[in-house]
Amino acid sequence: MATLDHTLNWDALTDESVRHLQALLRIDTTAQEGPAVQYLCEQLAIEAGIEIRILEPGSGRPNLWARLRGNGKQRPLLLLSHLDVVPVERPYWSVDPFGGEIHDGYIYGRGAVDMKDMTAKQLTLLLHFARQAQATRKELDRDLVLLAVADEECMSEFGMAWIIKHAPELLEAEFALNEGGGYAFQCGSQRVYVCETAQKGSAQVTLRAVGKPGHGAFPHSENAVAHLARAIYRLSAASLPLHVTPTVQRFVDKLALNQPRSKQLLFRQTLHPLSSGMALNMLSEDEITHVLRAVLHNTVSPTLLRGGDTLNVIPSEAFAHLDGRIVPGQTARSFLREIQQRIADPNVEVDVDLNSSGYECPSDTSMFAALEAAIAQHDPGAIVAPYMFPAVSDSRFLAPLGIIPYGFDPMMSEPGCPLPQQLAHNHDERISFANMGFGLRVLHDTILQLSR
Ligand SMILES: [Zn+2]
């Protein structure tokens, strides 16, 4: 293990990252990233030795790419974040969502944990390593590439999808660090940090129920809306079949570590078709069972419904759109078959339109080991577990290129403060000073261990 430098002025570095975070939070980047890209450019231009490029898809939604060159002994590390944020419902916020306000040790604002905090930490560290390189005349063993992209919260059309198409050479890297994990939760007496090494795929599932039209005053058994309702009920009443992937197997193995024997058994039973449902019901950790239910199965969530348009007319068709999520290794076809078998109604047609395939990356890498070492250093006794994210992020674009993207935005759990994934997209999104400092140290040590 490399010798890590703990003589740095961490208070000053943390203040610097908080200053960047406040500045970014004060820019409303709901579908408009230009001013935030401008801010990053101005900050990066202060230090010598950083190449900067603005990647502009011609949509007014630019992306920012910057590189601090290393000596090239190892392939680059990509520090990835997105600058856009989801809209806010202002009446529900207790502070200005674009004010970057600080109260009781927390920095508030839309994007505080999703994910301007990460942009601010990555920016601070790139500047820090540039200063170090100047001062010591020693380069890191790999390039550090900062990529702050647009349009992640929608379809990534002007962000990562555009970059992949128009400037893929800028993405050359061995590893990437992005959102998707890094937070801690308590499993019995064990603190576990999740490192996102895998993602499920996503699909739009459409159900079209057909039936006999007629007058609403004369009910009959071939009502399309009733067929649709029964189909949705059957899909919602129980999980689809179990699919255990290597990532989830390792996740469960880690969760079972240091647990009482009875709990170890329950965790193992979650992986077997006959006992999985019962074991998930018996485990007391809501947070974990919620995740396990999502990652052990293909899932569907009904979100949009369409039936008739007049109260007294039974329509001949009714539609439902469901948010479908597919375990890596499963296909649109196998997913379709599972849904059809569960619905078992010839009056309901099913269509699966795949948006993205899932992926799994290895966790026996130098990057994973560096994250484990950094967590051991800064939160002794805690462990890191590989984790499958049930939703998607821009990491899905990197895995097919042979880059190993890990979702790891390091955050300690804080009593009284909801987990970051509960604060993301929510009212009063916030991050503590303490967690900005913690994340900065963990990322710093990880980068350093990987790069010298
Ligand atoms: Zn995000």
Side-chain angles (χ1 to χ4, degrees), residues 82 84 113-115 152-153 179 393 425:
H82 64 81
D84 59 320
V113 294
D114 183 16
M115 58 174 304
E152 191 274 346
E153 295 290 3
E179 63 180 343
S393 77
H425 298 207

Side-chain angles (χ1 to χ4, degrees), residues 14-30:
T14 304
D15 286 349
E16 185 182 337
S17 71
V18 169
R19 187 167 52 75
H20 293 316
L21 175 59
Q22 282 183 292
L24 290 168
L25 292 174
R26 285 173 184 148
I27 303 168
D28 178 356
T29 53
T30 318

Side-chain angles (χ1 to χ4, degrees), residues 344-358:
D345 183 347
N347 298 295
V348 181
E349 294 168 12
V350 185
D351 181 61
V352 171
D353 190 7
L354 191 68
N355 298 326
S356 67
S357 303

